[in-house]
Amino acid sequence: MLEDGSQRWMSGYGRITEERDSQPVRMSGVMFDVDERRRADDALRLADRRKDEFLAMLAHELRNPMATIRSGLNILTLTTAGDETTHSTVAMMNRQTAHLVRMVDDLLDVSRISRGKIELKKSRVNLVELVRQARQSIAAEFELQGKVLHIHLPSTPVDLEGDATRLIQVVANLLTNGLRYTGEDGQVWVSLIHQHQEAILQVRDNGIGLAKDQQSAIFELFVQVDNSVARSKGGLGLGLTLVKQLVEMHGGRVDVYSEGLGKGSTFTVHLPTLTTAAESSPMPAPQTTDSAAASRILVIDDNADAALMMTMLLKLKGYEAYSRTSGQAGLEAAERLQPAAILLDIGMPELDGYATCRLIREQAWGQGLAVIALTGYGQQEDRQRTREAGFDGHLVKPVDVDELTNLLTALLGKTPSG
Ligand code: ADP
């Protein structure tokens, strides 16, 4: 505190001189005025936090328009026949939308990680199977670009305690980079070995490679190596940050090796494994018994476009679908229509999804039907909140059409015949 009452940050170093019976008698030292530096630090931290919050908000807000575009494309995919030009245009738009969804998901994940908000849903998983699933998600892209993906996997399971979705994401990100940073004759080799309670997953490519001084920086947030090929092909510089953080959250580590520019790169992921035999707890596949009766579904979403697209999609899948654009109108329609399931948007003005669901559950007709939340929020706590409000299912926008139909089939116990 200064004489004029203002306060400043100081930093001091000093030494106390003691007499024989431990009594201090003198202190000598220096004090530095670090006020400016400390305030600049605080401002920087605040700006950094605001940036994280902005990224989270941005990624979240982008989901709504993307959800509608994705549903529209799904409809076009299901209805477009014959015409080759339209067919390939729709296919291209589907691919690009999937890419957009992936980037937004990465953005959201990264901002969650930097705010310490990501959670792993761990269970016993077989890494061999997860690598196969990651390959499946990207194999078509390799083929399309005329590149070759070689995979060598052990014949026995490699079990570990992990989050299946996140581990698939790790492998898929590395494969995506293998695709991105290789030239026309691009090849990517994936191998997995299990030794000394460790799974060692290697993703090697014959691509543009990395100079020595670039190799440690690439795992940092937003870092993209400034060489012309990488710049023209890169995404947001988030993929490897996520790989590193997710692997570390699983108790593992990742490193990169490259002999230099133009000499290809090798990414190696080490993950601790479980040694005992696997308990078999595969996810039960939803029962898909055929039934002639189409099921009636009501969509309630204040975004009229989103509601319309969803009903069109449901109709194409053989359901009898209706939509309303407010909680109140939805309640009235539900009472009259007695649908088998309601797809209910959470963020709506006046009566939001939670309140609407509670009101549905208070009605005699609202006990037996399935209510599914449609929301941009997919964290564990969000799912718990919808469960507590009486929802039977929780879908995150943009909704994946297969996930939607699987959930409906599981909840309604049948598929519509259309
Ligand atoms: P993005 O690919 O979106 O730019 P990443 O975090 O996945 O972000 O990668 C960061 C950077 O690391 C890339 O921009 C690229 O320069 C470099 N990089 C990643 N993978 C490879 C690879 N297999 N070969 C060469 N460079 C790579």
Side-chain angles (χ1 to χ4, degrees):
M1 174 104 68
L2 301 184
E3 276 176 4
D4 63 1
S6 63
Q7 293 185 344
R8 296 186 74 79
W9 286 99
M10 307 291 284
S11 165
Y13 302 91
R15 195 172 52 188
I16 293 172
T17 315
E18 291 172 13
E19 290 244 289
R20 224 172 297 142
D21 53 356
S22 308
Q23 286 300 309
V25 289
R26 198 167 46 169
M27 187 177 126
S28 54
V30 280
M31 294 292 282
F32 301 97
D33 183 337
V34 292
D35 193 69
E36 225 168 283
R37 196 181 74 203
R38 174 64 194 244
R39 286 180 202 276
D41 273 0
D42 288 349
L44 209 58
R45 251 189 288 275
L46 183 67
D48 192 44
R49 208 180 63 226
R50 288 210 179 118
K51 177 215 67 195
D52 284 341
E53 285 164 3
F54 172 75
L55 285 179
M57 191 268 295
L58 176 70
H60 190 258
E61 287 304 313
L62 285 172
R63 278 168 178 258
N64 278 323
M66 276 186 344
T68 315
I69 293 173
R70 199 178 207 190
S71 307
L73 282 171
N74 282 331
I75 288 170
L76 287 177
T77 311
L78 290 167
T79 51
T80 315
D83 180 359
E84 186 51 39
T85 316
T86 318
H87 187 74
S88 52
T89 310
V90 170
M92 176 274 289
M93 288 165 82
N94 261 323
R95 275 197 308 279
Q96 295 301 320
T97 310
H99 185 48
L100 208 60
V101 171
R102 229 171 10 242
M103 282 201 286
V104 168
D105 282 348
D106 279 358
L107 202 58
L108 204 55
D109 281 347
V110 159
S111 72
R112 277 193 196 126
I113 286 183
S114 49
R115 289 178 301 149
K117 284 204 163 173
I118 219 160
E119 315 145 356
L120 296 183
K121 279 172 234 126
K122 283 191 177 175
S123 62
R124 186 180 198 119
V125 293
N126 173 7
L127 194 55
V128 178
E129 198 42 51
L130 302 185
V131 174
R132 283 205 188 103
Q133 288 185 35
R135 173 192 32 201
Q136 219 170 13
S137 72
I138 204 170
E141 198 56 36
F142 267 85
E143 206 161 308
L144 200 76
Q145 296 192 23
K147 297 183 179 178
V148 188
L149 180 57
H150 310 266
I151 300 211
H152 293 286
L153 296 172
S155 52
T156 50
V158 177
D159 286 335
L160 50 87
E161 184 74 11
D163 182 324
T165 312
R166 296 304 186 178
L167 290 170
I168 293 174
Q169 188 179 5
V170 164
V171 184
N173 278 1
L174 293 175
L175 295 181
T176 305
N177 282 352
L179 196 60
R180 231 181 229 168
Y181 302 111
T182 50
E184 278 186 356
D185 57 346
Q187 301 203 48
V188 176
W189 292 264
V190 178
S191 66
L192 175 63
I193 52 173
H194 188 187
Q195 63 180 27
H196 310 306
Q197 295 187 27
E198 203 180 48
I200 303 173
L201 175 81
Q202 215 163 61
V203 180
R204 179 166 65 86
D205 65 55
N206 63 346
I208 63 174
L210 288 153
K212 285 277 170 287
D213 61 336
Q214 299 170 337
Q215 292 176 19
S216 57
I218 56 171
F219 293 103
E220 281 164 32
L221 193 54
F222 305 128
V223 166
Q224 297 184 307
V225 171
D226 197 11
N227 69 48
S228 54
V229 193
R231 285 305 309 123
S232 66
K233 293 193 174 183
L236 297 174
L238 303 174
L240 288 178
T241 310
L242 276 174
V243 166
K244 179 166 188 272
Q245 312 245 33
L246 291 173
V247 166
E248 286 176 356
M249 285 169 82
H250 280 89
R253 64 177 204 281
V254 56
D255 47 52
V256 61
Y257 173 76
S258 170
E259 278 183 17
L261 288 177
K263 302 244 171 84
S265 315
T266 305
F267 288 84
T268 310
V269 175
H270 301 258
L271 286 164
T273 56
L274 297 168
T275 41
T276 48
E279 300 126 13
S280 58
S281 57
M283 282 274 290
Q287 295 282 312
T288 52
T289 47
D290 270 339
S291 153
S295 304
R296 191 173 298 151
I297 316 260
L298 174 64
V299 180
I300 307 176
D301 192 330
D302 65 318
N303 180 329
D305 283 343
L308 180 69
M309 287 296 146
M310 189 54 89
T311 42
M312 284 170 74
L313 195 61
L314 287 165
K315 283 181 187 164
L316 284 166
K317 287 280 171 189
Y319 292 95
E320 186 187 325
Y322 300 86
S323 70
R324 292 293 184 273
T325 52
S326 75
Q328 192 54 46
L331 275 173
E332 286 159 20
E335 180 162 16
R336 203 160 34 78
L337 292 166
Q338 308 269 310
I342 297 181
L343 293 181
L344 182 52
D345 182 34
I346 294 290
M348 295 190 291
E350 290 161 27
L351 218 51
D352 69 8
Y354 296 116
T356 309
C357 185
R358 282 199 193 96
L359 288 172
I360 291 172
R361 294 303 190 206
E362 281 171 14
Q363 314 300 319
W365 52 262
Q367 308 299 315
L369 55 79
V371 187
I372 299 169
L374 287 178
T375 158
Y377 298 95
Q379 290 289 84
Q380 199 62 35
E381 71 235 31
D382 306 316
R383 289 175 190 276
Q384 186 168 343
R385 218 182 138 194
T386 52
R387 216 172 13 248
E388 283 166 6
F391 286 89
D392 303 293
H394 184 119
L395 289 171
V396 180
K397 296 180 184 179
V399 172
D400 179 84
V401 64
D402 291 333
E403 202 185 330
L404 169 68
T405 43
N406 281 343
L407 182 61
L408 283 175
T409 307
L411 289 175
L412 306 183
K414 62 184 173 191
T415 51
S417 61

